């Protein structure tokens, strides 16, 4: 089965989805859905990094394309920060940290896998 080279852009919609999930977080950590929704966001972002690393391994895009994809994903991840009304200022502070760490992990994994594939 031959995957399209566009399959490595999977990080763009997954970061948009995880960003939209931040808007659904309740404002109290005592709410029963708080930790389960936070866990779902973290699980989605970890899954994004793993899938992206596997796709980079199989498709072997160039390093410039990896940087472009992470740049596009960072612009798309910024959309929910402006479009959603966060229930708590804490979530607004945590949003760039969590999304930024995930994008940085995608960038590092993508570059590491691409460089290892060339050797």
């Amino acid at each position: 089965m031959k995957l399209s080279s566009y399959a490595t852009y999977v990080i763009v919609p997954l970061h948009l989805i995880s960003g939209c999930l931040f808007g659904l977080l309740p404002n109290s950590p005592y709410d029963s859905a708080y930790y389960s929704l936070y866990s779902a966001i973290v699980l989605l972002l970890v899954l994004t990094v793993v899938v992206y690393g596997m796709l980079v391994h199989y498709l072997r895009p160039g390093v410039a394309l990896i940087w472009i994809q992470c740049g596009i994903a960072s612009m798309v991840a910024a959309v929910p920060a402006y479009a959603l009304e966060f229930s708590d200022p804490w979530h607004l502070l945590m949003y760039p940290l969590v999304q930024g760490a995930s994008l940085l992990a995608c960038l590092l994994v993508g570059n590491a896998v691409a460089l290892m594939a060339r050797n």
Side-chain angles (χ1 to χ4, degrees):
M1 181 171 125
K2 178 75 173 145
L3 291 173
S4 170
S5 62
Y6 298 115
T8 51
Y9 284 96
V10 71
I11 62 173
V12 175
L14 290 178
H15 277 90
L16 181 64
I17 291 169
S18 67
C20 291
L21 288 176
F22 261 93
L24 298 176
L25 283 170
N27 58 356
S28 172
Y30 300 110
D31 195 344
S32 61
Y34 184 82
Y35 291 107
S36 60
L37 197 54
Y38 239 124
S39 300
I41 291 170
V42 170
L43 181 64
L44 179 65
L45 292 174
V46 168
L47 187 67
T48 301
V49 172
V50 171
V51 168
Y52 186 64
M54 289 174 34
L55 286 172
V56 168
H57 175 71
Y58 290 126
L59 299 176
R60 298 180 190 198
V63 175
L65 186 62
I66 293 170
W67 280 82
I68 289 170
Q69 291 168 350
C70 288
I72 292 170
S74 66
M75 287 186 279
V76 168
V79 169
Y82 294 107
L84 296 175
E85 182 179 341
F86 289 95
S87 60
D88 186 1
W90 174 251
H91 299 315
L92 187 59
L93 290 174
M94 289 302 293
Y95 181 81
L97 294 174
V98 171
Q99 293 286 75
S102 174
L103 287 166
L104 183 63
C106 285
L107 186 65
L108 292 175
V109 166
N111 282 321
V113 170
L115 292 175
M116 284 190 299
R118 291 190 180 160
N119 294 333

